[in-house]
Amino acid sequence: MNTERVKTVAVTASLAAWLVATAAAQLPERRFDDLLRRGMWRIPTPNWRFFGPNPGVKDNHLLYRDITDGTPGEWVEVPITTDRPWYALAWNARNRSPKALFDASQDTIARAAAFGSDVRPVAWGAGYRLLSRYIQLHLPHAEGASHSQFLLMQSYPTSPADRSIEPVFVSMEFPLEEDGTSKTAAFPVAA
């Protein structure tokens, strides 16, 4: 008997079994999870469920407005996502900025839910600071605007019309320079 052939068959069979076990662990039903982890062989499988364990059912919307002479302007929606080219399935380097805005929105919404009506702890969060700096430095502002503010909303694409969109968080006003750039303030001014 050829030992190299036995080794090759054993390694190939082991990898094939692990591939099948990994595929079984990714199924939406979780009945195989306990069997694989606590079964007779305790096969270590990664958990990379294709659609995620908790799929998203809401869309986030980022809006901002400028405040000129103490008067707030109209809300303007910031497009977070853009149309993707056909090759984005394999390579989508332009997704980094929208992903950062989405993650910052999610962080701010989670902190707002955790702290309730207390806005100051939310304002110290990384997501809030990223959103306010993005609005200060990368978006156009009304002439003479001294402050700006953002609003996070969520829409439910599959819900009834009366619950289709709802405001989630309104930021404090944060100052702008005369030329539309941000002041170096340690903390935003309360709205």
Side-chain angles (χ1 to χ4, degrees):
M1 180 173 274
N2 186 353
T3 59
E4 289 299 316
R5 184 172 171 95
V6 170
K7 289 178 186 177
T8 302
V9 168
V11 168
T12 304
S14 298
L15 289 175
W18 190 56
L19 180 66
V20 169
T22 300
Q26 308 315 307
L27 294 173
E29 295 180 24
R30 297 187 177 265
R31 69 174 125 176
F32 296 112
D33 290 355
D34 289 336
L35 177 69
L36 295 172
R37 286 191 198 109
R38 298 183 190 143
M40 186 174 73
W41 297 332
R42 294 190 183 137
I43 301 170
T45 56
N47 185 359
W48 298 319
R49 284 185 165 75
F50 185 71
F51 292 107
N54 300 315
V57 294
K58 303 174 191 172
D59 292 334
N60 289 341
H61 302 273
L62 172 63
L63 295 88
Y64 79 103
R65 68 179 175 185
D66 292 330
I67 294 129
T68 308
D69 297 328
T71 305
E74 294 291 320
W75 291 105
V76 178
E77 186 167 3
V78 178
I80 294 179
T81 59
T82 58
D83 291 334
R84 296 182 178 143
W86 63 270
Y87 56 83
L89 181 63
W91 175 255
N92 193 12
R94 291 186 294 177
N95 193 36
R96 289 189 180 127
S97 296
K99 177 72 170 132
L101 287 177
F102 177 80
D103 288 348
S105 298
Q106 289 295 99
D107 177 66
T108 304
I109 290 168
R111 291 178 70 85
F115 291 107
S117 62
D118 193 4
V119 178
R120 290 202 175 258
V122 178
W124 285 110
Y128 182 99
R129 290 182 299 177
L130 189 141
L131 291 173
S132 62
R133 295 296 286 174
Y134 177 77
I135 290 167
Q136 288 172 337
L137 300 175
H138 298 285
L139 296 178
H141 296 284
E143 188 173 327
S146 61
H147 291 76
S148 196
Q149 184 178 29
F150 69 86
L151 165 68
L152 293 171
M153 299 185 84
Q154 290 183 328
S155 64
Y156 302 85
T158 59
S159 70
D162 59 337
R163 283 191 51 208
S164 61
I165 191 162
E166 66 183 20
V168 179
F169 178 77
V170 179
S171 76
M172 296 185 290
E173 296 175 5
F174 41 87
L176 301 172
E177 288 285 352
E178 295 298 323
D179 61 354
T181 60
S182 68
K183 291 182 181 176
T184 54
F187 200 81
V189 178

